[in-house]
Coordinates of all heavy atoms in Angstrom, one line a residue:
T3 N 99.1 154.1 120.9 CA 100.2 155.1 121.2 C 100.6 154.9 122.7 O 99.8 154.7 123.6 CB 99.7 156.5 121.0 OG1 99.3 156.7 119.7 CG2 100.8 157.5 121.3
F4 N 101.9 155.0 122.9 CA 102.4 154.8 124.3 C 103.5 155.8 124.6 O 104.2 156.2 123.6 CB 102.9 153.4 124.6 CG 103.9 152.9 123.6 CD1 105.3 153.2 123.8 CD2 103.5 152.1 122.5 CE1 106.2 152.7 122.9 CE2 104.5 151.6 121.6 CZ 105.8 151.9 121.8
A5 N 103.8 156.1 125.8 CA 104.9 156.9 126.2 C 106.1 155.9 126.3 O 106.0 154.8 126.6 CB 104.6 157.5 127.6
F6 N 107.3 156.5 126.1 CA 108.5 155.7 126.1 C 109.6 156.4 126.9 O 109.7 157.6 126.9 CB 109.1 155.6 124.7 CG 110.4 154.8 124.6 CD1 110.4 153.4 124.6 CD2 111.6 155.5 124.5 CE1 111.6 152.7 124.5 CE2 112.8 154.8 124.4 CZ 112.8 153.4 124.4
A7 N 110.3 155.6 127.7 CA 111.4 156.2 128.6 C 112.5 155.2 128.7 O 112.3 154.0 128.7 CB 110.8 156.5 130.0
K8 N 113.7 155.7 128.7 CA 114.9 154.9 129.0 C 115.4 155.1 130.4 O 115.7 156.2 130.8 CB 116.1 155.3 128.0 CG 115.8 155.0 126.6 CD 117.0 155.4 125.7 CE 118.2 154.5 125.9 NZ 118.0 153.2 125.3
A9 N 115.4 154.0 131.1 CA 115.7 154.0 132.6 C 117.2 154.3 132.7 O 118.1 153.8 131.9 CB 115.4 152.7 133.2
G10 N 117.6 155.0 133.8 CA 119.0 155.3 134.1 C 119.6 154.3 135.0 O 120.8 154.1 135.1
T11 N 118.7 153.7 135.9 CA 119.2 152.7 136.9 C 118.1 151.6 137.0 O 116.9 151.9 136.6 CB 119.4 153.3 138.2 OG1 118.1 153.8 138.7 CG2 120.4 154.5 138.2
V12 N 118.5 150.5 137.6 CA 117.5 149.5 137.9 C 116.4 150.0 138.8 O 115.2 149.8 138.5 CB 118.1 148.2 138.5 CG1 117.1 147.3 139.0 CG2 119.0 147.5 137.5
A13 N 116.8 150.7 139.8 CA 115.8 151.3 140.8 C 114.8 152.2 140.1 O 113.6 152.2 140.3 CB 116.5 152.0 141.9
E14 N 115.3 153.0 139.2 CA 114.5 154.0 138.4 C 113.5 153.2 137.5 O 112.3 153.6 137.4 CB 115.3 154.9 137.6 CG 114.6 155.9 136.7 CD 115.5 156.7 135.8 OE1 116.6 157.1 136.2 OE2 115.1 156.9 134.6
A15 N 114.0 152.2 136.9 CA 113.1 151.4 136.0 C 112.0 150.7 136.8 O 110.8 150.7 136.4 CB 113.9 150.3 135.3
V16 N 112.4 150.1 138.0 CA 111.4 149.4 138.8 C 110.3 150.4 139.3 O 109.1 150.1 139.3 CB 112.1 148.8 140.0 CG1 111.1 148.3 141.1 CG2 112.9 147.6 139.5
R17 N 110.7 151.6 139.8 CA 109.8 152.6 140.3 C 108.8 153.0 139.2 O 107.6 153.2 139.4 CB 110.5 153.8 140.8 CG 111.2 153.6 142.2 CD 111.6 154.9 142.8 NE 112.5 155.7 142.0 CZ 113.8 155.6 142.0 NH1 114.4 154.8 142.9 NH2 114.6 156.3 141.3
A18 N 109.4 153.2 138.0 CA 108.5 153.7 136.9 C 107.4 152.7 136.5 O 106.3 153.1 136.3 CB 109.4 154.0 135.7
V19 N 107.8 151.4 136.5 CA 106.8 150.4 136.1 C 105.9 150.1 137.2 O 104.6 150.0 137.1 CB 107.5 149.2 135.5 CG1 106.5 148.0 135.3 CG2 108.2 149.5 134.3
A20 N 106.4 150.0 138.4 CA 105.6 149.7 139.6 C 104.5 150.7 139.9 O 103.4 150.4 140.3 CB 106.4 149.5 140.8
A21 N 104.8 152.0 139.6 CA 103.9 153.1 139.8 C 102.8 153.2 138.8 O 101.8 153.9 139.0 CB 104.6 154.4 139.9
D22 N 102.9 152.5 137.7 CA 102.0 152.6 136.6 C 101.5 151.2 136.2 O 102.2 150.5 135.5 CB 102.6 153.3 135.4 CG 101.7 153.6 134.3 OD1 100.6 153.1 134.3 OD2 102.1 154.3 133.3
P23 N 100.2 150.9 136.5 CA 99.7 149.5 136.1 C 99.7 149.3 134.6 O 99.5 148.1 134.2 CB 98.3 149.5 136.7 CG 98.0 150.9 136.9 CD 99.2 151.7 137.2
D24 N 99.8 150.4 133.8 CA 99.8 150.3 132.4 C 101.2 150.3 131.8 O 101.3 150.5 130.5 CB 98.9 151.4 131.8 CG 98.3 151.1 130.5 OD1 98.1 149.9 130.2 OD2 97.9 152.0 129.8
A25 N 102.2 150.1 132.6 CA 103.6 150.2 132.1 C 104.2 148.8 132.0 O 103.9 147.9 132.7 CB 104.4 151.1 133.0
V26 N 105.2 148.7 131.1 CA 105.9 147.4 130.9 C 107.4 147.7 130.7 O 107.8 148.8 130.3 CB 105.4 146.6 129.7 CG1 104.0 146.2 129.9 CG2 105.5 147.4 128.4
F27 N 108.2 146.7 131.0 CA 109.7 146.8 130.7 C 109.9 146.4 129.2 O 109.2 145.5 128.6 CB 110.5 145.8 131.6 CG 110.4 146.1 133.0 CD1 109.8 145.2 133.9 CD2 111.0 147.3 133.5 CE1 109.8 145.5 135.3 CE2 110.9 147.6 134.9 CZ 110.3 146.7 135.8
L28 N 111.0 146.9 128.6 CA 111.4 146.5 127.3 C 112.9 146.1 127.3 O 113.7 146.9 127.8 CB 111.3 147.7 126.3 CG 111.9 147.5 124.9 CD1 111.1 146.5 124.1 CD2 112.0 148.9 124.2
G29 N 113.2 144.9 126.9 CA 114.5 144.4 126.8 C 114.9 144.4 125.3 O 115.0 145.4 124.7
G30 N 115.1 143.2 124.8 CA 115.4 143.1 123.4 C 114.2 143.4 122.5 O 114.3 143.7 121.3
G31 N 113.0 143.2 123.0 CA 111.7 143.5 122.3 C 111.3 142.5 121.3 O 110.3 142.7 120.5
T32 N 111.9 141.3 121.2 CA 111.6 140.4 120.2 C 110.2 139.7 120.3 O 109.7 139.2 119.4 CB 112.7 139.2 120.1 OG1 112.8 138.6 121.4 CG2 114.0 139.8 119.7
N33 N 109.7 139.8 121.5 CA 108.3 139.3 121.8 C 107.3 140.5 122.0 O 106.3 140.5 121.4 CB 108.3 138.4 123.0 CG 107.0 137.7 123.2 OD1 106.6 137.4 124.3 ND2 106.3 137.3 122.1
L34 N 107.7 141.4 122.7 CA 106.9 142.6 123.0 C 106.5 143.3 121.8 O 105.3 143.7 121.6 CB 107.5 143.5 124.0 CG 106.7 144.8 124.4 CD1 105.4 144.5 125.0 CD2 107.6 145.7 125.3
V35 N 107.4 143.6 120.9 CA 107.1 144.4 119.7 C 106.1 143.7 118.8 O 105.2 144.3 118.2 CB 108.4 144.7 118.9 CG1 108.1 145.4 117.6 CG2 109.3 145.7 119.7
D36 N 106.3 142.3 118.7 CA 105.2 141.6 118.0 C 103.9 141.8 118.5 O 102.9 142.0 117.8 CB 105.6 140.1 118.0 CG 106.7 139.7 117.1 OD1 107.1 140.5 116.2 OD2 107.3 138.6 117.2
H37 N 103.8 141.7 119.9 CA 102.5 141.9 120.5 C 101.9 143.3 120.5 O 100.7 143.5 120.4 CB 102.6 141.4 122.0 CG 102.7 139.9 122.1 ND1 103.0 139.2 123.2 CD2 102.5 138.9 121.1 CE1 103.0 137.9 123.0 NE2 102.7 137.7 121.7
L38 N 102.8 144.3 120.4 CA 102.4 145.7 120.2 C 101.7 145.8 118.8 O 100.7 146.4 118.6 CB 103.5 146.6 120.3 CG 104.1 146.8 121.7 CD1 105.4 147.7 121.6 CD2 103.1 147.5 122.6
K39 N 102.3 145.2 117.8 CA 101.8 145.2 116.4 C 100.5 144.5 116.3 O 99.6 144.9 115.5 CB 102.8 144.6 115.5 CG 104.1 145.4 115.3 CD 105.1 144.7 114.4 CE 106.4 145.5 114.2 NZ 107.4 144.8 113.4
L40 N 100.3 143.4 117.0 CA 99.1 142.6 117.0 C 98.0 143.1 117.9 O 96.9 142.6 117.9 CB 99.4 141.1 117.4 CG 100.3 140.4 116.4 CD1 100.7 139.0 117.1 CD2 99.6 140.1 115.1
C41 N 98.3 144.2 118.7 CA 97.4 144.7 119.7 C 97.1 143.7 120.8 O 96.1 143.9 121.5 CB 96.1 145.2 119.0 SG 96.4 146.7 118.0
V42 N 97.9 142.7 120.9 CA 97.8 141.8 122.1 C 98.3 142.5 123.3 O 97.7 142.4 124.4 CB 98.7 140.5 121.8 CG1 98.7 139.7 123.1 CG2 98.1 139.7 120.7
A43 N 99.4 143.3 123.2 CA 99.9 144.1 124.3 C 99.5 145.6 124.0 O 99.7 146.0 122.9 CB 101.4 144.0 124.5
R44 N 98.9 146.3 125.0 CA 98.5 147.6 124.7 C 98.9 148.5 125.9 O 98.1 149.1 126.6 CB 97.0 147.7 124.5 CG 96.5 147.0 123.3 CD 95.0 146.9 123.2 NE 94.4 148.3 123.1 CZ 94.3 149.0 122.0 NH1 94.8 148.6 120.9 NH2 93.8 150.2 122.1
P45 N 100.2 148.6 126.2 CA 100.7 149.4 127.4 C 100.6 150.9 127.1 O 100.6 151.3 126.0 CB 102.2 149.0 127.5 CG 102.6 148.6 126.1 CD 101.4 148.0 125.5
G46 N 100.5 151.6 128.2 CA 100.5 153.1 128.1 C 101.9 153.6 128.2 O 102.1 154.8 127.8
R47 N 102.8 152.8 128.8 CA 104.2 153.3 129.0 C 105.1 152.1 128.8 O 104.9 151.0 129.3 CB 104.4 153.9 130.3 CG 105.8 154.4 130.7 CD 105.9 155.0 132.1 NE 105.1 156.1 132.2 CZ 105.4 157.4 131.9 NH1 106.6 157.6 131.4 NH2 104.6 158.4 132.0
V48 N 106.2 152.3 128.0 CA 107.2 151.3 127.8 C 108.6 151.9 128.4 O 109.0 152.9 128.0 CB 107.4 151.0 126.3 CG1 108.6 150.0 126.1 CG2 106.1 150.3 125.8
V49 N 109.2 151.1 129.3 CA 110.4 151.5 129.9 C 111.5 150.6 129.5 O 111.6 149.4 129.8 CB 110.3 151.5 131.5 CG1 111.6 151.9 132.1 CG2 109.1 152.3 132.0
D50 N 112.5 151.2 128.7 CA 113.6 150.5 128.2 C 114.7 150.2 129.3 O 115.2 151.2 129.9 CB 114.2 151.3 127.1 CG 115.3 150.6 126.3 OD1 115.9 149.7 126.8 OD2 115.6 151.1 125.2
V51 N 115.0 149.0 129.5 CA 115.9 148.6 130.6 C 117.3 148.1 130.0 O 118.1 147.6 130.8 CB 115.3 147.6 131.5 CG1 114.1 148.1 132.2 CG2 115.0 146.3 130.8
T52 N 117.5 148.2 128.7 CA 118.7 147.6 128.1 C 120.0 148.2 128.6 O 121.0 147.6 128.6 CB 118.6 147.7 126.6 OG1 118.4 149.0 126.2 CG2 117.5 146.8 126.0
A53 N 119.9 149.5 129.0 CA 121.1 150.2 129.5 C 121.4 149.9 131.0 O 122.5 150.2 131.4 CB 121.0 151.7 129.3
V54 N 120.5 149.3 131.7 CA 120.7 149.1 133.1 C 120.8 147.7 133.6 O 121.1 147.4 134.7 CB 119.5 149.8 133.9 CG1 119.5 151.3 133.6 CG2 118.2 149.2 133.7
T55 N 120.4 146.7 132.7 CA 120.6 145.3 133.0 C 122.0 144.8 132.6 O 122.4 145.2 131.5 CB 119.5 144.5 132.4 OG1 119.3 144.8 131.0 CG2 118.2 144.7 133.1
S56 N 122.6 144.0 133.4 CA 124.0 143.6 133.2 C 124.1 142.7 132.0 O 123.4 141.8 131.8 CB 124.5 142.9 134.4 OG 125.8 142.4 134.2
G57 N 125.2 143.0 131.2 CA 125.5 142.1 130.1 C 126.7 141.2 130.4 O 127.4 140.7 129.6

Side-chain angles (χ1 to χ4, degrees):
T3 301
F4 56 83
F6 179 81
K8 290 181 71 71
T11 64
V12 168
E14 179 185 319
V16 166
R17 286 195 300 270
V19 173
D22 183 352
D24 207 22
V26 296
F27 296 116
L28 172 70
T32 56
N33 189 215
L34 176 61
V35 172
D36 284 345
H37 287 167
L38 291 172
K39 293 176 179 177
L40 293 169
C41 291
V42 171
R44 297 174 58 84
R47 178 180 298 274
V48 173
V49 179
D50 186 341
V51 297
T52 53
V54 301
T55 48
S56 172

